[in-house]
Amino acid sequence: MNETILNIIALFNEKGNSMYGGEAVTQLQHGLQAATAARAKAATPATVTAALLHDIGHLLHTLPEDAPDNGIDDYHENLGARYLSKYFLPEVSESVRLHVAAKRYLCATDSEYMGKLSSPSVISLNLQGGPMNADEIEAFEKELYFKQAVQLRYWDELAKDPNMVTEPLESFIPDIEQSLV
Ligand code: FE
């Protein structure tokens, strides 16, 4: 199997069982739930892969999982995007890079979205800069993968359900394979 895919599986095996910062799901469950939600909408392989790997940055750093409670922003979107950009199509790495900005964007532009945020997500929102202002919104909408990032963000919000049944990690390998550069 491709080395990048083996590395990603190893990373989930090694660190995927850690809890997803303050939520009732693990990092692996969170990724699988987001990817399953994407697949249910017949998303492209790259979009499904972005959903699966959007929080890989959390598995790449060594900060404690409650860092946001202690006022620390881990900038996991940049860490994850930098890693993914070496091996994956820009649709994957750019959607991941923008997925935190997409939260700030939706808080400013979708009146119902803010109510969907879990409380840990509200805490991290403040650390991440709060809802976007008008200039930030304008700049964000010019991003090439802004629509994909917004779509990913909705799946991210759905993926915090301790009772959701998902497909196993192995079932997403074909999507990952098709999203490699
Ligand atoms: Fe997430």
Side-chain angles (χ1 to χ4, degrees):
M1 198 187 291
N2 171 284
E3 198 185 331
T4 301
I5 300 180
L6 289 173
N7 287 340
I8 286 170
I9 294 171
L11 200 57
F12 274 122
N13 283 339
E14 193 188 323
K15 291 182 152 182
N17 285 328
S18 60
M19 293 311 282
Y20 173 51
E23 308 286 354
V25 293
T26 66
Q27 292 286 350
L28 174 61
Q29 286 170 328
H30 179 60
L32 291 176
Q33 289 186 8
T36 299
R39 186 177 271 175
K41 294 284 177 204
T44 62
T47 316
V48 172
T49 301
L52 178 70
L53 303 179
H54 76 275
D55 275 336
I56 199 165
H58 284 309
L59 307 181
L60 296 168
H61 69 62
T62 52
L63 290 170
E65 57 196 58
D66 64 348
D69 292 332
N70 298 312
I72 299 165
D73 185 342
D74 63 9
Y75 296 103
H76 70 282
E77 68 278 25
N78 294 332
L79 207 57
R82 220 176 299 137
Y83 175 78
L84 295 171
S85 68
K86 292 184 221 161
Y87 313 107
F88 288 92
L89 299 171
E91 188 173 354
V92 177
S93 55
E94 283 295 283
S95 303
V96 171
R97 182 177 68 82
L98 296 170
H99 85 277
V100 170
K103 174 167 89 169
R104 298 184 56 229
Y105 173 80
L106 285 171
C107 284
T109 58
D110 175 347
S111 55
E112 283 173 21
Y113 174 79
M114 189 91 117
K116 292 182 188 153
L117 289 181
S118 60
S119 47
S121 201
V122 172
I123 293 175
S124 58
L125 170 69
N126 294 326
L127 286 174
Q128 290 154 346
M132 282 184 173
N133 63 34
D135 289 346
E136 289 171 321
I137 290 170
E138 203 187 315
F140 185 66
E141 288 177 345
K142 290 191 181 126
E143 290 282 357
L144 209 50
Y145 294 96
F146 124 80
K147 289 214 170 88
Q148 285 89 337
V150 166
Q151 195 179 41
L152 167 58
R153 193 67 222 187
Y154 285 114
W155 295 327
D156 189 352
E157 255 42 85
L158 291 175
K160 299 170 182 179
D161 174 359
N163 300 314
M164 181 173 169
V165 177
T166 70
E167 313 264 348
L169 183 55
E170 298 70 47
S171 82
F172 293 102
I173 290 174
D175 296 282
I176 302 177
E177 266 168 354
Q178 287 181 66
S179 309
L180 294 164
V181 283

